[in-house]
Amino acid sequence: MLTQERYHSILSIINEKHAVTVSELSQLLDTSESTIRRDLTVLDRLGKLKKVFGGATSIKQTISVIEDDTTLKETLMREEKTEIARYCATLINDTDFVYIDAGTTTSRLIDYIPETSKAVYVTNGIYHARKLIKRRLNAYIVGGKVKPVTEAVIGAEGISNLKDLNFSKSFIGTNGIDIEAGFTTPDIDEAKMKETAIEKSYMAFVMADHTKFRRVYPVSFSPLGKCCIVTDKVTDSLFKNETVIKEVML
């Protein structure tokens, strides 16, 4: 295969799959990995793709500014969210001081926390707080402005509340996960709440089904390396080079 033909094939594959490893390209094009790496370096310099550790990603990104309301989100990826929540509940010990972020996947986590749990829970989700109370768990809610779409408490007062606390574990929701942009969400105030919670946590877990990968929203709240991702499955192996990922539906 001529060099220009190989370049064209590489770009076609990446634009279709959005991300690919050197090994995958080598097999698909029946070309040595060293040659593929050189090709990726050239195409990166030409601005045709983004070279990353172990492979490359498409430079075409669609940034979404629209967020679905909570009622609609509850109907999406139900089985996947349930398995993610079930696993995350097993990570909580009686000695933990836990932050649970607003969101539909994080909300489902509460369903699998035993009522005998002696951990202390803090949340910025109004619906979450109600669920915690119904399960007779030791719960607190931060104060601040309420965002109707997600029923989340946000704003300066909420951030100030979180800065006074030190969590052993936090469970965070996200709208998008991208290698370059990190974890993203549409709202600036909500992003600051997530960012602060992660900073104040000894361990932070982002709960997200596989549809959140390769999606980018306007505001980044954390690089991937600061959090462990708990997901149903990873369809893009490049993400495994960036942080710890637990797949619960292998």
Side-chain angles (χ1 to χ4, degrees), residues 1 6 11 18-19 22 43 50 64 74 85 90 105 115 155 191 220 222 229 233 236 245:
M1 183 183 292
R6 201 168 56 247
L11 292 174
H18 303 296
V22 169
L43 292 169
K50 178 67 176 177
S64 176
E74 284 284 1
T90 68
T105 309
E115 291 187 2
S220 297
S222 174
I229 301 173
K233 62 181 179 180
D236 184 346
I245 302 179

Side-chain angles (χ1 to χ4, degrees), residues 13-242:
I13 292 168
I14 289 179
N15 288 332
E16 178 183 349
K17 301 182 68 173
H18 303 296
V20 69
T21 65
V22 169
S23 177
E24 288 171 328
L25 287 172
S26 176
Q27 293 176 12
L28 289 170
L29 302 179
D30 192 24
T31 305
S32 70
E33 292 192 4
S34 59
T35 298
I36 294 296
R37 289 191 184 93
R38 288 195 295 271
D39 290 347
L40 295 181
T41 298
V42 172
L43 292 169
D44 179 83
R45 288 173 182 169
L46 292 172
K48 300 297 185 180
L49 53 74
K50 178 67 176 177
K51 186 178 180 183
V52 297
F53 181 79
T57 65
S58 170
I59 61 172
K60 297 178 180 179
Q61 283 187 336
T62 300
I63 299 179
S64 176
V65 297
I66 299 174
E67 183 172 18
D68 297 325
D69 63 28
T70 303
T71 303
L72 176 58
K73 287 181 181 180
E74 284 284 1
T75 67
L76 304 175
M77 309 302 291
R78 294 180 64 88
E79 181 181 355
E80 290 82 357
K81 289 178 180 179
T82 295
E83 292 306 313
I84 292 168
R86 195 192 308 273
Y87 173 80
C88 285
T90 68
L91 302 176
I92 299 172
N93 301 315
D94 283 345
T95 56
D96 279 328
F97 186 42
V98 180
Y99 178 75
I100 302 179
D101 184 31
T104 55
T105 309
T106 53
S107 168
R108 201 155 299 190
L109 165 64
I110 300 169
D111 298 334
Y112 297 95
I113 299 173
E115 291 187 2
T116 56
S117 172
K118 293 181 174 60
V120 177
Y121 299 90
V122 177
T123 185
N124 71 322
I126 295 174
Y127 180 58
H128 297 47
R130 289 198 297 266
K131 290 182 72 173
L132 287 164
I133 292 170
K134 286 182 179 179
R135 294 186 66 79
R136 298 182 176 86
L137 298 169
N138 191 359
Y140 295 83
I141 186 169
V142 298
K145 179 183 177 181
V146 177
K147 179 182 175 182
V149 174
T150 57
E151 297 186 9
V153 176
I154 57 175
E157 186 176 351
I159 292 169
S160 178
N161 288 172
L162 292 181
K163 285 183 176 179
D164 292 334
L165 306 175
N166 299 292
F167 302 106
S168 56
K169 296 183 177 102
S170 63
F171 296 92
I172 309 295
T174 190
N175 296 81
I177 304 173
D178 182 76
I179 289 175
E180 296 298 321
F183 300 108
T184 61
T185 193
D187 187 274
I188 293 175
D189 289 334
E190 197 157 7
K192 292 301 294 183
M193 290 289 287
K194 296 174 187 289
E195 179 183 6
T196 304
I198 291 169
E199 289 176 352
K200 300 297 293 182
S201 300
Y202 179 69
M203 298 179 68
F205 301 91
V206 170
M207 304 172 64
D209 66 75
H210 70 274
T211 64
K212 303 294 180 66
F213 289 85
R214 290 290 168 198
R215 296 178 69 178
V216 178
Y217 286 78
V219 191
S220 297
F221 61 85
S222 174
L224 300 189
K226 278 194 173 184
C227 306
C228 170
I229 301 173
V230 182
T231 186
D232 53 310
K233 62 181 179 180
V234 176
T235 58
D236 184 346
S237 59
L238 291 178
F239 282 90
K240 294 182 178 180
N241 297 325
E242 304 298 321

